[in-house]
Structures are given as structure tokens and as C-alpha cells.
Amino acid sequence: MSLSVCLIVKNEEATISRCLNCAAKFADQIIVVDTGSTDGTVEEVKKFTNEIYFFDWCDDFSAARNFAFEKADKDYVMWLDADDIVTDENCAEIKKLVKTGGFDMAFLQYAAAFDGDKPTFVYYRERIFRRAKNYRFCGAVHEAVKPDGKIVYSEAAIYHKKVKSSQPFRNLLIYQKQIARGICLDERSLFYYGRELLFNGMIIEGTAVLEKFLSGGGWVENEIEACINLCKAYRTLGNEKKSLEFLLKSFTYAPPRSEACCILGDYFFEKNAVNSAIYWYQLALTQSGGLKEGGFFNADYSGYIPNIQLCVLYDKLGDYARANAYNEAAGKYRPESQSYKQNKIYFASRLQPATGGG
């Protein structure tokens, strides 16, 4: 089985060679669609492929990606972004996955934040598609392909390594232009529009949009994420009651996510309700965070954060041995953490064996 790898790019001179050098290790065809570069992107692309096409940008990422897919002629088609990289190990996994075939859609892990080289923010994205099924992206922003057919989940991962800042307000403006043209946003777009408003500091507007989203019938993982975003937004606004209301509402969709548990742990920690805080941080350690369900997963919320907080809480209780054990657990996730290192020195003195008199 063969694979076409497709990218849409604009002014990616700094990263495109890094990405295509990876893609060349598993792709049988590389297709690059340029949406208006004014730097040396096209010249860099020519070092890897002659299949360069040009697309007049129309504020629609799906339209550009679908245009790229239409140029593919291999058995499977895969998308990448210009600032993605793929390790040699993951290149081999992708090559093996495609060679084996037998699936219509393959979801791969997408790592978008890191502690050093260790991924901390990961989620599954639809990544590879059987070309004959004619899959298409939908959504002008945060474009996606609706799951369908025989689906597999691979442990292969794509690393999203940005070297430049995103254009401020770009996604928000695309949504607002759609609304101005009378386009009614679907449930998924409504969710992401609300998030864009919050991320750009428009808290009142963002909470209104996300609450409207929750009144519909969106995807459960988006509903959970919306609740957590509303919890944080109302906390920023100083409305503790509404903040807790939406955090607890997230529990009505699925078992508590690790992030929600940590937020509740923080709530009780700030009120010096030690035992309640311990309960929620310990529960966070047992939760998956929704990765396998397709949700966003920040590993810190089921690893470093609850462990370091439990260390502090058990120290408050005078249980230095248990506090030290949680600190050591936190250190396994972030060995370079200054809190972990300082705690290690602190407990070395606290746990010194007492010397008896003669």
C-alpha cells in the first residue's frame, strides 16, 4: 500500500524542510499546496517534491486541505502541518501501518506541548485516510474529517513544534466573517468559536457562546472541555458559584477528567480543606484524562501536578514520609522541576534518623 502526504503552507521557510525531511522517510508522494507565501517556502519545498500547487486563500482551511487531497493518487492520504516533525521511530510506525493497510481511517497521537522532549499535551487526530473513500474536511477553522468506516488507533505520534507565534485573532476573525455573512455555525464550530473568544480575552462573549453550545447536542468530549473552560472563565470573572457549577456539570457527561479533579483539589487546597483536597488529587492520579476517548489530554494533570500538591498537603499534616514519596513521584514526571529539587533537599533533612544519646 502507498501513501500520499499533503500539506498546506504559507511563509513556512523556517520549518518546511524539517517537516518534509521527515515525510520523505515514509511518503511515496509529497504534495504541497501554497496559499500565498512571500518568503522562501516554495524554494525549500522544491528540494523535496515537484508537486507544488497554488491555492487562492479564502479563509477556509478545509477548502485548502481538500484541494491538496484531490491531487493525491496513492492508496492512502495523510496530512501534516509545516511545523510538524516525526521521529525516526514514528516514521517506521507510520510506514508499517500503511504497508499493512486494512483500515479506512487511522487516528494518530498529536503532541502539541512538551516538557523538554517529553510530550505533555496530547490528543488523537484523524490523520491517514483511504483515498478511495473520498474523505473530506469540514469547518473553515479547526477543520476535521467526520469519523467513518473501519477506524484504527495507532501509537505513532506526530510532534507539533512551533517556532513562530500564531497570527493573533486569525481564527476568531474567520468565524466572525462567517457570522457576518449569515452562516449559522454548527455545533463543533460553535464550540471552537467560544474557545477562540476566551483565548483572545473576550470572556463575557466566550462564556455566552459556550453556554449556547452546551444547550445543543455536541460531541461529549467538546462538552466536557466547554464545561472546564467555563469553569476557568467564571473563576476569572470572580463568580465562584458559576465556576463550580460548570466544573461539576462536566461530571454529568463522563467520569471526572484528571484536569477537573485537580481544579477541585485546588479549590479545597485554597480553603485549607486538606482531606478534601487530598481526595481529589488522588483521584486525578487514577484518571486517563480522556485521551482514548479523543479528548485533549494534558499529562501534567494526572502526573506531576497532583503528586506535587499531595506532597505539600501531607507535609502540612506532618506525614513527611508520605509527602516525600509523592515528591519523588512528581520528580519522575519532571526531574528538572525546581519545586521537586527543593523539596528533595527539604525532606533529606526532615527524614534524617534521630541520633540517640549515650
Side-chain angles (χ1 to χ4, degrees):
M1 305 298 283
S2 55
L3 177 66
S4 301
V5 172
C6 300
L7 295 89
I8 58 173
V9 301
K10 181 179 179 181
N11 293 335
E12 300 290 357
E13 181 181 11
T15 58
I16 190 64
S17 292
R18 183 186 70 177
C19 176
L20 294 182
N21 186 55
C22 299
K25 297 175 183 178
F26 53 82
D28 300 289
Q29 178 185 37
I30 295 177
I31 294 166
V32 177
V33 170
D34 188 89
T35 63
S37 292
T38 56
D39 64 358
T41 297
V42 172
E43 288 69 25
E44 289 297 315
V45 170
K46 288 178 179 177
K47 297 175 183 178
F48 295 89
T49 180
N50 292 322
E51 296 199 58
I52 308 172
Y53 303 91
F54 298 91
F55 180 84
D56 291 331
W57 182 243
C58 58
D59 284 336
D60 191 328
F61 283 92
S62 284
R65 289 212 190 272
N66 291 335
F67 177 80
F69 272 25
E70 288 165 7
K71 305 300 180 182
D73 60 19
K74 303 307 178 187
D75 299 308
Y76 285 99
V77 58
M78 173 182 183
W79 66 273
L80 286 173
D81 284 334
D83 44 11
D84 290 340
I85 63 173
V86 189
T87 65
D88 286 345
E89 180 183 2
N90 285 310
C91 285
E93 283 295 318
I94 292 169
K95 198 164 187 175
K96 179 181 176 182
L97 176 67
V98 172
K99 183 178 179 180
T100 303
F103 62 89
D104 295 320
M105 293 180 66
F107 282 69
L108 275 62
Q109 293 186 41
Y110 204 20
F114 302 83
D115 179 17
D117 291 327
K118 184 178 179 181
T120 57
F121 184 68
V122 182
Y123 54 101
Y124 273 100
R125 279 299 312 264
E126 67 285 16
R127 181 68 64 169
I128 305 175
F129 313 88
R130 186 184 297 277
R131 185 174 63 86
K133 295 277 288 184
N134 198 34
Y135 289 106
R136 287 294 179 265
F137 283 92
C138 295
V141 185
H142 299 293
E143 65 281 9
V145 178
K146 184 178 180 180
D148 182 59
K150 183 177 181 181
I151 297 172
V152 298
Y153 284 79
S154 171
E155 292 304 307
I158 309 297
Y159 289 3
H160 192 57
K161 293 270 192 174
K162 286 188 176 184
V163 298
K164 64 180 183 180
S165 300
S166 300
Q167 299 174 35
F169 301 108
R170 181 195 67 185
N171 294 345
L172 180 61
L173 288 173
I174 291 175
Y175 282 129
Q176 291 179 335
K177 287 178 184 178
Q178 286 189 306
I179 294 168
R181 294 199 303 269
I183 295 173
C184 183
L185 299 183
D186 62 19
E187 293 296 334
R188 187 174 187 277
S189 296
L190 199 62
F191 165 69
Y192 279 106
Y193 177 45
R195 279 173 32 112
E196 291 292 340
L197 287 165
L198 293 183
F199 294 164
N200 285 284
M202 302 175 190
I203 309 298
I204 301 296
E205 297 88 342
T207 55
V209 170
L210 287 181
E211 287 189 51
K212 180 181 178 181
F213 162 74
L214 287 175
S215 69
W219 182 43
V220 64
E221 292 301 324
N222 286 349
E223 290 175 320
I224 293 169
E225 184 72 15
C227 287
I228 292 175
N229 286 336
L230 283 164
C231 164
K232 294 176 180 178
Y234 277 113
R235 183 179 177 86
T236 299
L237 294 172
N239 191 332
E240 184 177 276
K241 181 180 178 181
K242 292 280 280 187
S243 177
L244 280 173
E245 174 188 324
F246 281 105
L247 182 62
L248 296 176
K249 184 178 177 65
S250 73
F251 297 171
T252 66
Y253 296 105
R257 297 291 186 248
S258 55
E259 182 176 4
C261 293
C262 283
I263 293 172
L264 268 177
D266 293 345
Y267 170 78
F268 287 111
F269 186 100
E270 291 167 7
K271 294 186 177 301
N272 203 33
V274 174
N275 290 329
S276 294
I278 285 173
Y279 173 85
W280 287 105
Y281 288 129
Q282 286 180 334
L283 186 61
L285 292 172
T286 70
Q287 303 304 303
S288 68
L291 177 62
K292 290 295 184 180
E293 293 80 11
F296 299 123
F297 176 57
N298 188 327
D300 278 348
Y301 288 115
S302 60
Y304 177 79
I305 291 173
N307 276 302
I308 205 72
Q309 293 294 83
L310 285 164
C311 164
V312 173
L313 288 163
Y314 276 107
D315 179 68
K316 281 177 175 284
L317 294 175
D319 191 340
Y320 304 122
R322 189 171 293 185
N324 180 59
Y326 279 114
N327 188 58
E328 290 301 314
K332 291 179 181 178
Y333 292 96
R334 289 197 172 187
E336 298 305 313
S337 161
Q338 288 303 309
S339 295
Y340 160 67
K341 291 179 178 180
Q342 291 168 5
N343 290 343
K344 196 173 181 69
I345 295 170
Y346 167 76
F347 288 119
S349 62
R350 278 287 187 182
L351 296 171
Q352 279 184 348
T355 56

